[in-house]
DNA sequence: CTCTGGATGTCGCTA
DNA sequence: TAGCGACGTCCAGAG
C-alpha cells in the first residue's frame, strides 16, 4: 500500500524517510536538491528539482526531469542514512563499501514523498538476444555457410569464449563470433584474438567468421588485413524462423523451461 | 507545480495522462501493469507493480521495485500515446522510429499519477573521467615514464584514436592507451591495433604502453605475447594533483570554462 | 548520418 | 571474488 506526505515539516519528512528506509519500502522523493558523488569518480550537481527513487533493495536513483540516465545513482549494495542539517535541510547519504563510494543528496525543499511496498513477481523474458541467435545458428549452421558443421557453442579459450566452433565443408576449423548489432572494429579484434589463441594452441590456422546483421567500414578493412571473413545475417529471418517453430510446438512456459536448461 | 491524482476513474486517469503528455509534463505512474517491447529485440514482462516515469523530453522508464536498471524503457526520441481498452485498462504506447521500436504498457490498475513541470537548470560536473586523466598525463608525462615527451592527444589513426602519443627518451615513438578502471584483454587488443596501424603506416614499430590503475592477469599475458608494456597509475595521486592546482588558481567556473575549451 | 570509444557503466555467468 | 563479454546498452564527439 502506498502512502504520501506533502507539505510536511522537515521533522515529519525526516521521520517518514527513516521509517520507510528501515522498513525497506520503496521511496520516491520529489524536491529541490544538490548532489555530490565521490568514489570511482567524483561529481557535483548544483541545485535543481529532481526525482529521487530509493528502491526496496536499496538501489538509489536521482533523475533529472529529462533524459534516460539517472544523473547520479547508487546500486543496491548500499547503506542509506537520512539526517537533518542547518535545522531545515534534509540530507540523504548512500554509502557503498566496495568500491568505496559516497553519494550525498542535500534537499533545500521537499515537495512530496511517496513510500510503500510494491509487489512485483512478474517474469521478464527477453527474446532474440545473442544467446537466442547462437542457439538458432547452432541448430542451423547452413544459415551461415553451406556444409558448415558446428560442434560446439560457448567454447572456452583461455579466458574468453568462442560463440560457435565447427568445421567447414573441407574440414577446416572455423571460429565464429556473433554480433546482434552492427559489428565494429572491436568485434573484429575479438574474433582475431580467438583465432590467434587457437592457432597458438593447436598449431592450425582456423578460419574466423564474424556473423552480424551489419558491419562498419573500418571493421571490413580490419577483417581484410587480418584475413578474416564475415557473413551478413538477417535477424528478422532468424527470428521468424524461431517463432515458426514455437507457434506449433512450444508454449511460453516450455520456452522458459528450455531457456533454463541451456 | 506538482499535481496528483489518486483513486480516480479510468477516464479521469486517461484525461490526466493525455493532458500531461501534451503539455510535456513530468509524469509518474504507479500501478500494476504488463509490458511488451518490440524492436531491436523483443521482451515480455508479466504482471506486477511498477513505477513508470515519463520525463519532460519524452524519455520513458519502467522501474521494478528493485535494481538499478529500468526493466523496460524508451529514450527521448519517442511519440507517446495513451488509450483505453476493454473499458477498464489504460495502455501507454511509446514508439520510436529509428530504430523502429514499440513499447506497450498495459495497466490493470493505477494507484496514483503525479504530474507537473520540474525546473532543473543545475550544472553537472564530473571529475576524473578518462579525459581528465588524459589531460593531466599530457601535462605531466613523467608520471608515466621519465624522459617521455607527449606531443599529441586524441591522435586519429585510421578510424580510432590514440589517447596519447609521444616519444621516449631514446626518440622512439610511444603509443599510450589509458584506462581509468582495471584493464582487461580488450584494452590490450585496442592498444595492439593502434600499434599495428601505426607500424603499417609509418614503417616504424612504436612502443605501446597501457596505463591503468590495475590490469587483469590474462591481459598481462596478452601484453607479453604482443610485446606491449603497461604502467600502473594511481588515480588518487593524479586526482589530488589536479585538485592541488585548482585550489590555488581556479574556481569552479574557470574549471568549467577550461572544460569547454578542450 | 555513421562510427568510435567511454561509462561511477550494470548485469549475469563462470572459473 | 575476479574476469570476461553482452547490453534493446546510452551517450557525446568527430567526420
Amino acid at each position: 500500500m502506498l502512502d504520501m506526505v506533502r507539505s510536511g515539516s522537515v521533522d515529519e519528512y525526516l521521520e517518514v524517510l527513516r521509517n520507510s528506509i528501515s522498513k525497506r519500502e520503496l521511496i520516491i522523493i520529489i524536491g529541490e536538491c544538490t548532489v555530490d558523488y565521490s568514489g570511482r569518480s567524483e561529481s557535483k550537481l548544483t541545485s535543481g528539482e529532481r526525482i529521487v527513487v530509493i528502491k526496496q533493495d536499496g538501489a538509489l536513483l536521482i533523475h533529472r526531469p529529462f533524459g534516460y540516465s539517472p544523473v547520479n545513482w547508487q546500486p543496491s549494495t548500499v547503506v542509506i542514512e537520512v539526517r537533518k542539517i542547518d535545522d531545515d535541510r534534509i540530507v540523504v547519504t548512500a554509502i557503498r563499501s566496495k568500491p568505496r563510494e559516497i553519494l550525498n543528496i542535500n534537499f533545500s525543499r521537499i515537495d512530496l514523498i511517496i513510500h510503500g511496498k510494491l509487489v512485483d513477481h512478474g517474469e521478464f523474458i527477453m527474446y532474440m538476444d545473442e544467446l537466442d541467435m547462437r542457439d538458432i545458428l547452432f541448430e542451423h549452421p547452413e544459415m551461415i555457410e553451406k556444409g558448415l558443421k558446428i560442434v560446439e557453442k560457448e567454447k572456452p579459450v583461455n579466458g574468453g569464449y568462442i560463440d560457435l566452433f565447427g568445421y567447414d565443408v573441407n574440414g577446416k576449423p572455423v571460429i565464429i563470433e556473433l554480433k546482434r548489432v552492427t559489428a565494429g572494429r572491436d568485434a573484429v579484434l575479438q574474433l582475431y584474438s580467438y583465432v590467434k589463441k587457437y592457432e597458438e594452441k593447436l598449431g592450425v590456422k582456423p578460419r574466423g567468421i564474424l556473423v552480424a546483421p551489419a558491419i562498419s567500414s573500418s571493421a571490413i578493412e580490419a577483417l581484410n588485413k587480418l584475413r578474416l571473413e564475415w557473413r551478413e545475417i538477417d535477424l528478422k529471418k532468424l527470428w521468424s524462423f524461431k517463432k515458426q517453430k514455437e507457434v506449433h510446438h512450444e508454449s511460453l512456459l516450455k520456452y522458459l523451461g528450455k531457456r533454463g536448461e541451456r
Side-chain angles (χ1 to χ4, degrees), chain A residues 57-77:
Chain A
D57 61 351
L60 190 154
L61 311 167
I62 303 165
H63 275 281
R64 308 187 77 165
F66 46 85
Y68 161 86
S69 315
V71 62
N72 283 105
W73 70 91
Q74 210 57 275
S76 63
T77 48

Side-chain angles (χ1 to χ4, degrees), chain A residues 57 62 103 121 183 193-194 205 217 248:
Chain A
D57 61 351
I62 303 165
L103 184 65
H121 300 295
S193 81
Y194 294 143
K205 193 177 165 57
S217 53
H248 296 297

Side-chain angles (χ1 to χ4, degrees), chain A residues 28-34 47-52 63 105-112:
Chain A
I28 299 174
I29 312 168
I30 299 180
E32 192 179 61
C33 62
T34 63
S47 189
E49 296 178 341
R50 281 125 205 172
I51 311 142
V52 176
H63 275 281
I105 314 171
N106 188 318
F107 286 97
S108 54
R109 196 189 75 241
I110 287 179
D111 291 322
L112 66 85

Side-chain angles (χ1 to χ4, degrees), chain A residues 223-239:
Chain A
L223 283 168
N224 291 337
K225 283 239 173 70
L226 299 167
R227 300 186 172 284
L228 300 168
E229 308 162 54
W230 89 282
R231 296 285 176 277
E232 188 178 336
I233 193 87
D234 187 349
L235 281 185
K236 284 267 183 292
K237 202 186 280 177
L238 231 68
W239 198 348

Side-chain angles (χ1 to χ4, degrees), chain A residues 8-262:
Chain A
S9 68
V10 170
D11 288 327
E12 278 177 271
Y13 284 139
L14 195 67
E15 172 70 15
V16 166
L17 287 175
R18 285 193 170 145
N19 213 337
S20 295
I21 287 169
S22 72
K23 285 194 280 187
R24 296 198 143 265
E25 289 181 339
L26 170 82
I27 305 167
I28 299 174
I29 312 168
I30 299 180
E32 192 179 61
C33 62
T34 63
V35 187
D36 291 279
Y37 161 77
S38 175
R40 285 167 288 178
S41 173
E42 272 206 355
S43 74
K44 281 185 191 303
L45 177 63
T46 60
S47 189
E49 296 178 341
R50 281 125 205 172
I51 311 142
V52 176
V53 179
I54 302 174
K55 293 202 185 180
Q56 290 164 198
D57 61 351
L60 190 154
L61 311 167
I62 303 165
H63 275 281
R64 308 187 77 165
F66 46 85
Y68 161 86
S69 315
V71 62
N72 283 105
W73 70 91
Q74 210 57 275
S76 63
T77 48
V78 293
V79 177
I80 296 173
E81 285 165 2
V82 189
R83 66 183 194 283
K84 184 169 76 167
I85 62 164
D86 300 342
D87 273 347
D88 64 344
R89 281 171 165 263
I90 282 179
V91 175
V92 176
T93 305
I95 300 172
R96 182 148 80 138
S97 49
K98 207 173 176 357
R100 184 73 186 176
E101 298 187 297
I102 299 176
L103 184 65
N104 263 297
I105 314 171
N106 188 318
F107 286 97
S108 54
R109 196 189 75 241
I110 287 179
D111 291 322
L112 66 85
I113 296 175
I114 293 164
H115 62 101
K117 283 274 187 191
L118 292 196
V119 179
D120 180 1
H121 300 295
E123 199 97 46
F124 181 70
I125 316 148
M126 175 84 76
Y127 310 87
M128 271 321 285
D129 52 13
E130 209 191 74
L131 282 191
D132 276 341
M133 191 176 163
R134 197 195 57 194
D135 289 349
I136 299 170
L137 290 173
F138 180 77
E139 299 291 338
H140 300 279
E142 74 276 6
M143 293 180 95
I144 299 172
E145 188 175 275
K146 216 166 161 57
L148 181 67
K149 288 201 194 325
I150 302 293
V151 298
E152 213 170 338
K153 54 181 171 183
E154 199 79 351
K155 181 185 173 70
V157 276
N158 199 359
Y161 290 90
I162 293 172
D163 287 327
L164 291 171
F165 178 79
Y167 297 93
D168 71 7
V169 74
N170 300 314
K172 195 169 185 185
V174 183
I175 289 172
I176 293 162
E177 171 68 25
L178 303 177
K179 287 291 163 211
R180 55 179 305 292
V181 292
T182 303
R185 287 163 21 112
D186 54 338
V188 178
L189 285 173
Q190 204 178 113
L191 173 59
Y192 178 64
S193 81
Y194 294 143
V195 167
K196 245 188 119 174
K197 278 255 161 63
Y198 183 92
E199 192 182 354
E200 276 167 19
K201 206 163 182 179
L202 279 296
V204 186
K205 193 177 165 57
R207 289 172 61 196
I209 306 179
L210 181 56
V211 176
I215 189 167
S216 78
S217 53
S218 72
I220 291 184
E221 197 192 351
L223 283 168
N224 291 337
K225 283 239 173 70
L226 299 167
R227 300 186 172 284
L228 300 168
E229 308 162 54
W230 89 282
R231 296 285 176 277
E232 188 178 336
I233 193 87
D234 187 349
L235 281 185
K236 284 267 183 292
K237 202 186 280 177
L238 231 68
W239 198 348
S240 61
F241 193 85
K242 180 174 185 67
K243 274 189 176 165
Q244 218 170 40
K245 267 187 17 187
E246 280 176 21
V247 165
H248 296 297
H249 306 297
E250 301 189 51
S251 70
L252 187 62
L253 240 68
K254 280 187 186 165
Y255 176 75
L256 278 169
K258 239 186 89 182
R259 225 162 199 259
E261 287 164 25
R262 69 181 166 198

